[in-house]
Amino acid sequence: MLAGTATAGTRLPSVRELTLRHQASPVTVAEAIRQLVAEGLVETRPGRGTFVAARPGPAAAPDLSWQTVALGPRRFGEEEMQALLALPPSGAIPLSGGYLDADLQPAAALGAALARAARQPAAWQRGPVEGREDLRAWFAREAGGGLRADDMVICPGGQAALSSTLRALTGPGDTLLVESPTYLGALAAAHATGLRVVPVPADHDGVRPDQLAAAFARTGARLFYCQPLFANPTGATLSPARRPEVLAAVQDAGAFLIEDDYARDLAIDGDPPAPLASADPHGHVIHLRSLTKSAAPGLRVAALGARGPAGARLRAARLLDDFFVSGPLQQATVEFVTSPAWGRHRRGLRAELGNRRAALLDALRRHLPGLVPAVVPRGGLHLWVRLPDGADDVAVAAAAAAAGVIVFPGRAWHATEPPGPFLRLTYAATGAETMDEAVQRLRRVLL
């Protein structure tokens, strides 16, 4: 066609000429010209005719380099968090991740509860900004001790609760004490808040109370982040002997302890000890409990519990962050956790997590006995394994991904230099029947 091949500025035949040439009606020719004008291929010049329009040259690639200067350096932990939450590629066996495999999630019960909640108009209305009273009361009962419904605030997941806590109780430049190693998301949130992170040594019995007291004295810190139950990534549980010593160190320092109780429902061997909040009469413990890890990634429901002025600050911080959590989701949650389905799910989850942990340990004993941990966690989702001296955990994780098994390097879980190379191996993200193949793929990388 002339409009698409002729040079810009070429005059097109008149409507009369085109009508005669193509044996078409003047209305059809005029409509065709209007369409070409709309597409930018031709232009009309009153009194002169219709001409081929100038075609724009190739658009210049956008220059976004200015953003590098405007944004400044990347925050610590952003890339690691993205890698941690990335979905595994097709065909790879996941031994990483922090959520239950789809087969372990109570999706049917949750879906039914949410469908019932969604049909109730009241669920869509604005409720209390701190969350439904019945849901807050359930979390308070679970925490034990002196916490009441009025001390709790519902949050959209544990990470949001943790970030709000750090912002509400600290200022830029303050010090946060953490176990070493500790949850990667806590390190990322602390750095995003502008905190100075100081690690405190921990072992299979949890954080060392003597070192914690020394860290409080040396730094003047007023906040300690702790996972006393099945800590991520190590799986350690704070021992009965250390629990009162840790609380005493916090109380003597006039400080707060953030108790991240994410794994309350992930016990495998025996019943877990009560939350630290249950033994805290004077309000030193900020209790954080999430249901996301023990139910489904889409159940973004958690609760923060604190008493006194600290509780008031936390409730105010949550209000500023996102007003309130979805009403239908809260209603579905309280229906689920107070129904028989919750107990059935927890019992089934305990059994299946035990099977998967045993399958992973058996596969390690057969193919990589040097990676079997000396102390096996009694619950949680992960094994923390040490690689041979001189190994590069990041390089091992990259090579393992290329070999079709996804593991996570240990370096990112340390606030300072790690004492050695580690991997975090998750047994909740894949079935017991695939554990042997996963470890064989990892063995081909290491040997």
Side-chain angles (χ1 to χ4, degrees), residues 266-291:
L266 302 176
I268 298 175
D269 303 323
D271 294 328
L276 289 177
S278 66
D280 169 48
H282 304 301
H284 289 275
V285 175
I286 311 292
H287 183 71
L288 192 169
R289 169 83 179 275
S290 172
L291 297 176

Side-chain angles (χ1 to χ4, degrees), residues 381-425:
L381 305 175
H382 318 289
L383 297 182
W384 184 244
V385 303
R386 176 154 185 162
L387 294 171
D389 290 340
D392 184 327
D393 57 327
V394 175
V396 168
V405 57
I406 309 300
V407 298
F408 207 86
R411 194 173 310 178
W413 307 87
H414 291 86
T416 57
E417 298 84 358
F422 291 86
L423 294 178
R424 192 193 72 166
L425 305 181

Side-chain angles (χ1 to χ4, degrees), residues 127-447:
V129 294
E130 64 271 20
R132 290 175 59 109
E133 183 176 5
D134 50 2
L135 184 56
R136 290 185 284 116
W138 181 86
F139 275 110
R141 290 192 300 271
E142 289 282 303
L147 287 173
R148 304 162 302 157
D150 290 345
D151 300 317
M152 313 299 292
V153 57
I154 304 302
C155 309
Q159 188 67 27
L162 177 56
S163 296
S164 295
T165 302
L166 296 180
R167 289 196 305 275
L169 302 185
T170 65
D174 286 353
T175 297
L176 174 69
L177 303 183
V178 300
E179 300 160 296
S180 183
T182 193
Y183 170 47
L184 169 58
L187 297 177
H191 285 285
T193 310
L195 302 182
R196 171 177 174 248
V197 180
V198 174
V200 181
D203 55 30
H204 62 270
D205 284 328
V207 68
R208 292 179 50 184
D210 58 334
Q211 294 290 342
L212 178 62
F216 274 126
R218 185 174 65 254
T219 65
R222 291 295 176 264
L223 196 60
F224 169 49
Y225 171 76
C226 180
Q227 300 173 94
L229 182 64
F230 312 139
N232 181 10
T234 64
T237 293
L238 188 62
S239 68
R242 290 186 181 181
R243 287 165 61 94
E245 296 179 7
V246 167
L247 289 173
V250 173
Q251 182 172 339
D252 291 346
F256 293 100
L257 183 154
I258 302 174
E259 178 183 24
D260 189 345
D261 203 20
Y262 85 97
R264 175 62 40 187
D265 308 305
L266 302 176
I268 298 175
D269 303 323
D271 294 328
L276 289 177
S278 66
D280 169 48
H282 304 301
H284 289 275
V285 175
I286 311 292
H287 183 71
L288 192 169
R289 169 83 179 275
S290 172
L291 297 176
T292 303
K293 300 290 189 184
S294 55
L299 191 64
R300 305 299 302 170
V301 172
L304 275 172
R307 287 175 286 168
R313 289 197 183 187
L314 289 175
R315 289 187 287 275
R318 289 303 316 150
L319 173 63
L320 290 176
D321 279 349
D322 45 35
F323 289 177
F324 47 81
V325 176
S326 161
L329 190 58
Q330 289 191 60
Q331 183 168 330
T333 301
V334 74
E335 178 182 326
F336 175 61
V337 298
T338 57
S339 72
W342 175 237
R344 289 195 298 270
H345 166 65
R346 293 179 68 189
R347 290 189 295 272
L349 180 60
R350 169 180 290 203
E352 185 56 29
L353 287 178
N355 292 337
R356 296 184 182 208
R357 185 190 62 181
L360 178 55
L361 286 168
D362 288 345
L364 289 174
R365 293 186 183 105
R366 281 193 298 271
H367 306 297
L368 290 170
L371 266 58
V372 176
V375 178
V376 176
R378 297 173 60 83
L381 305 175
H382 318 289
L383 297 182
W384 184 244
V385 303
R386 176 154 185 162
L387 294 171
D389 290 340
D392 184 327
D393 57 327
V394 175
V396 168
V405 57
I406 309 300
V407 298
F408 207 86
R411 194 173 310 178
W413 307 87
H414 291 86
T416 57
E417 298 84 358
F422 291 86
L423 294 178
R424 192 193 72 166
L425 305 181
T426 302
Y427 48 79
T430 191
E433 68 281 358
T434 60
M435 291 296 184
D436 193 82
E437 174 61 25
V439 174
Q440 288 193 61
R441 294 182 185 184
L442 181 60
R443 181 180 183 275
R444 289 193 286 270
V445 170
L446 291 172
L447 299 182

